[in-house]
Amino acid sequence: HNQKLAYIEGKLPSELQTQLEEIGFDFSNVAIPDNDDGNERRRRKNNRKSGGTRIIWQTRYDELKAYLADTGTFDSIAADSPLGVRLNRQKEDYASQRLHFDREEKLKELGFDFGNPPVQETVWDDQFEELRIFRQEFGHTAVPRKFKPNPQLYHWCVNQRLLFKRGTLSSTREKLLSDIEFDFIEGPGGSSSTRKSFLNEEEWEAVFQKLLEYKILHGDANVPQKYDKDGLSSFTQYMRFYYKVGKLSSDRIERLKIIGFSFNPNEDRWNCKFEELKRHKEMNGTCYVSKHEELGKWTRMQITAFRKGSLTEERKKRLDEIGFDIAHRKINKSNDDDSNKKVSPTEVWDAMFNKLLQFKKEHGNTLVPEVYPDDPAFALWVGSQRVKYHNGSLSREYADRLNDVGFDWKSAEMIDQEFLNL
């Protein structure tokens, strides 16, 4: 009991703790005396988190340093060894943004590579080989739910289809599965040989007409996966799959495009959010978005994808081009995320003011129109200065600076007309 209390309070020596762990000592379920008040209980709980957990991690870190000193490399660590399992957990915590920054830095100082967890790759390769053997024996990849030789293979196949539908299956794995004619659409309760594949002309035409009716009723042709009426969900999934592997005729591609069918809804959603982030940057001068906003949640997802290695180079390049330096971004777990906010309102104002100086230099005036395609955010800022000036909310300092450069305080309508007459 005394050892447990010392552990909770962070006072248990690391050497003794290691010895106790090796003999299976359980540090949980310690009873705190009844005469402890609430503050004491909270203090001990906090000590357990900040003290005991920290000591355990430091002990494991010291073991890793000693191993590296002896061998000079991490490569010889077996994935299923205790040390390999711990390293794998650090990679998973890093990828999911749960790894504390200090721990991340300490591991990087040792040259630790936060790449994909090694165990996951081994499991995938093993199951893929099992599936390849299954196809050789049975002639298809529709693994039954209760496949006795390997009960996990069915669930593994379901997971690959789910990743494919979400657009998160890597291109390398997708190609390996395509090479053995894996059916990415086949699901529970069906067989590749009995389910509709929509390759028959009459069958395709009939379901296409149903898709037209769906669009008229719902306003788009992108059927949700759970919508099973008239076979539309399966039909749209097959069309995307056939399009991806080059098995859909140009005529059918054209007809589907005409009605607004998306062959890659995940990509379309990503592009939509990216454009939203671009507009946010134009309006605010920064890519920072609070994590409490939907766009902020999306930006955090991009950082997670980058850390897991699932963010494509193209997407990374596009994000970098608008100033979202994803490789060097860190996610603050605090409530406000203030540490990520790099540009203050004053800095934004100064940047826009400098644009105004450049506009005057090029045009000889400050008559920025309300609709200015070259820089919509700049036009909005100029308009907001006029509005604030007229309603008395513009600070004296800003008003003086604008007056010093001969800023025109006329209404937006008058400015637009004068700009057109130039």
Side-chain angles (χ1 to χ4, degrees):
H1 181 78
N2 290 336
Q3 307 308 320
K4 291 184 178 182
L5 286 177
Y7 163 75
I8 289 174
E9 295 173 351
K11 297 178 181 178
L12 187 66
S14 58
E15 182 179 349
L16 177 57
Q17 180 181 321
T18 302
Q19 292 175 354
L20 290 168
E21 286 180 338
E22 288 176 351
I23 63 173
F25 187 79
D26 183 8
F27 286 100
S28 62
N29 302 323
V30 61
I32 297 177
D34 291 337
N35 58 359
D36 282 353
D37 60 17
N39 290 332
E40 179 65 14
R41 288 175 179 272
R42 281 191 292 274
R43 184 182 68 80
R44 284 180 170 165
K45 182 178 180 181
N46 290 334
N47 281 340
R48 179 174 58 187
K49 290 182 177 178
S50 61
T53 304
R54 183 173 63 249
I55 291 171
I56 292 174
W57 194 91
Q58 185 62 45
T59 301
R60 300 293 179 248
Y61 176 76
D62 291 339
E63 290 176 4
L64 183 62
K65 282 182 67 175
Y67 182 91
L68 185 62
D70 290 339
T71 64
T73 179
F74 296 111
D75 297 339
S76 57
I77 300 175
D80 56 352
S81 68
L83 188 55
V85 170
R86 294 183 198 121
L87 290 181
N88 199 32
R89 189 175 298 122
Q90 303 307 303
K91 293 184 178 185
E92 292 171 350
D93 287 348
Y94 173 81
S96 60
Q97 305 161 23
R98 296 194 305 266
L99 186 64
H100 194 278
F101 175 72
D102 291 342
R103 295 181 178 181
E104 177 186 332
E105 291 300 307
K106 293 181 77 170
L107 288 168
K108 283 182 177 178
E109 286 175 3
L110 297 181
F112 184 65
D113 180 12
F114 286 98
N116 291 330
V119 174
Q120 293 181 358
E121 194 69 31
T122 302
V123 170
W124 197 94
D125 290 341
D126 290 345
Q127 293 289 37
F128 174 76
E129 182 60 20
E130 291 279 342
L131 180 64
R132 191 184 64 78
I133 294 171
F134 179 93
R135 185 184 179 282
Q136 284 181 343
E137 184 172 348
F138 298 100
H140 59 81
T141 59
V143 180
R145 185 184 293 270
K146 296 181 180 180
F147 181 57
K148 290 184 179 180
N150 184 353
Q152 296 302 317
L153 187 56
Y154 167 82
H155 300 286
W156 182 84
C157 290
V158 170
N159 192 45
Q160 304 315 300
R161 294 184 183 103
L162 181 61
L163 293 173
F164 174 79
K165 290 174 185 177
R166 289 175 177 172
T168 55
L169 184 67
S170 72
S171 56
T172 302
R173 292 181 175 180
E174 183 183 326
K175 185 179 185 306
L176 286 170
L177 289 166
S178 296
D179 288 344
I180 62 170
E181 298 181 350
F182 180 73
D183 190 342
F184 288 96
I185 312 299
E186 153 69 17
S191 167
S192 298
S193 59
T194 59
R195 297 172 80 242
K196 287 185 177 182
S197 59
F198 306 103
L199 291 173
N200 176 275
E201 183 67 34
E202 293 182 4
E203 181 181 270
W204 191 94
E205 192 63 44
V207 184
F208 179 76
Q209 293 303 318
K210 293 293 183 182
L211 185 60
L212 281 174
E213 294 174 9
Y214 177 92
K215 181 183 179 180
I216 294 171
L217 186 61
H218 298 275
D220 64 65
N222 298 310
V223 182
Q225 291 184 18
K226 294 182 179 180
Y227 188 90
D228 56 2
K229 185 179 179 181
D230 300 321
L232 285 179
S233 177
S234 295
F235 176 78
T236 55
Q237 290 178 54
Y238 266 108
M239 293 309 105
R240 292 183 181 116
F241 175 66
Y242 291 150
Y243 177 80
K244 201 165 189 176
V245 298
K247 291 185 177 181
L248 194 61
S249 69
S250 57
D251 174 63
R252 291 181 177 178
I253 292 174
E254 188 62 27
R255 292 179 67 186
L256 287 165
K257 283 184 176 179
I258 288 174
I259 65 171
F261 178 75
S262 172
F263 287 100
N264 194 338
N266 291 322
E267 186 69 18
D268 291 345
R269 283 191 290 270
W270 193 93
N271 288 331
C272 182
K273 284 294 182 184
F274 177 76
E275 291 301 321
E276 187 179 342
L277 182 62
K278 278 181 64 177
R279 291 192 296 272
H280 177 89
K281 171 73 180 294
E282 291 171 354
M283 291 285 292
N284 301 282
T286 175
C287 288
Y288 164 79
V289 188
S290 170
K291 69 178 183 180
H292 303 294
E293 298 179 28
E294 284 303 315
L295 183 59
K297 294 175 184 177
W298 180 82
T299 59
R300 290 167 68 86
M301 287 171 61
Q302 306 317 300
I303 298 173
T304 301
F306 173 76
R307 287 187 165 189
K308 288 183 175 180
S310 59
L311 186 71
T312 66
E313 279 299 318
E314 180 190 355
R315 290 182 176 181
K316 179 183 178 300
K317 181 180 177 182
R318 292 175 67 185
L319 288 167
D320 287 342
E321 285 174 350
I322 64 169
F324 190 86
D325 188 6
I326 197 166
H328 297 96
R329 271 184 185 263
K330 300 197 183 309
I331 295 182
N332 190 336
K333 298 289 186 176
S334 67
N335 291 332
D336 296 325
D337 278 350
D338 286 336
S339 63
N340 285 337
K341 199 169 185 177
K342 299 180 180 179
V343 183
S344 68
T346 301
E347 290 172 320
V348 172
W349 198 96
D350 288 340
M352 290 298 183
F353 181 74
N354 288 332
K355 286 188 177 184
L356 181 65
L357 294 178
Q358 184 63 32
F359 181 94
K360 184 178 180 181
K361 182 179 179 181
E362 293 177 4
H363 299 275
N365 58 61
T366 61
L367 303 176
V368 182
E370 186 176 19
V371 179
Y372 187 54
D374 290 348
D375 196 337
F378 172 53
L380 287 171
W381 177 83
V382 171
S384 71
Q385 305 312 299
R386 294 192 178 100
V387 171
K388 289 179 180 179
Y389 177 79
H390 289 299
N391 65 23
S393 62
L394 187 67
S395 72
R396 170 57 60 186
E397 177 192 352
Y398 287 165
D400 288 345
R401 289 176 66 182
L402 289 166
N403 280 325
D404 288 344
V405 299
F407 186 74
D408 199 322
W409 299 102
K410 297 186 183 75
S411 67
E413 291 78 7
M414 295 176 67
I415 293 294
D416 286 347
Q417 188 58 48
E418 290 186 34
F419 184 80
L420 291 173
N421 292 336
L422 290 177

